[in-house]
Amino acid sequence: MSKKKGLSVDEKRKRMLEVFHEKKDVFQLKELEKICPKEKGITPMSVKDILQSLVDDNLVCAEKIGTSNYFWSFPSQVTLSRKRRLEEIDSEIGSLKKRKITDCKLRLEIPSNPT
């Protein structure tokens, strides 16, 4: 009896993102439910959940046009998304450093009066 271990959620996300980046095309959910199991080994039942998690993390774009939902992601989009996130984190670090310096200066300026 062979025990085949299923893919982790992270592995499924990575493989689905590969589908978008390799094909460089726009897909509907039905198309992805056919492609992902054949090419990447993702079970058809989990395609929708994995796709939604990628959309929630802004790694895949989704747009409703008429009655259809379309999904796409291009390699450059992921790079730009990561650069934006890095800039946000750098900005947050800078503001936290300024606030810490200000707090330290205030502590040094206030003399403690033992009464």
Side-chain angles (χ1 to χ4, degrees), residues 12 16 42-51:
K12 289 177 186 177
M16 187 177 288
I42 300 170
T43 58
M45 297 298 291
S46 65
V47 169
K48 187 174 182 178
D49 294 332
I50 300 300
L51 181 59

Side-chain angles (χ1 to χ4, degrees), residues 73-86:
S73 176
F74 301 111
S76 61
Q77 178 183 347
V78 174
T79 304
L80 290 174
S81 175
R82 288 181 179 158
K83 282 182 181 178
R84 272 190 231 115
R85 181 68 181 135
L86 182 61

Side-chain angles (χ1 to χ4, degrees), residues 26-80:
V26 177
F27 300 98
Q28 289 185 319
L29 180 60
K30 285 185 180 185
E31 294 170 322
L32 290 170
E33 287 174 336
K34 291 178 184 175
I35 294 170
C36 290
K38 288 180 185 174
E39 295 185 11
K40 298 297 180 178
I42 300 170
T43 58
M45 297 298 291
S46 65
V47 169
K48 187 174 182 178
D49 294 332
I50 300 300
L51 181 59
Q52 187 59 49
S53 74
L54 290 171
V55 170
D56 292 343
D57 291 342
N58 295 322
L59 295 174
V60 173
C61 293
E63 189 71 38
K64 184 170 184 153
I65 302 173
T67 59
S68 303
N69 290 313
Y70 294 94
F71 302 93
W72 69 91
S73 176
F74 301 111
S76 61
Q77 178 183 347
V78 174
T79 304
L80 290 174

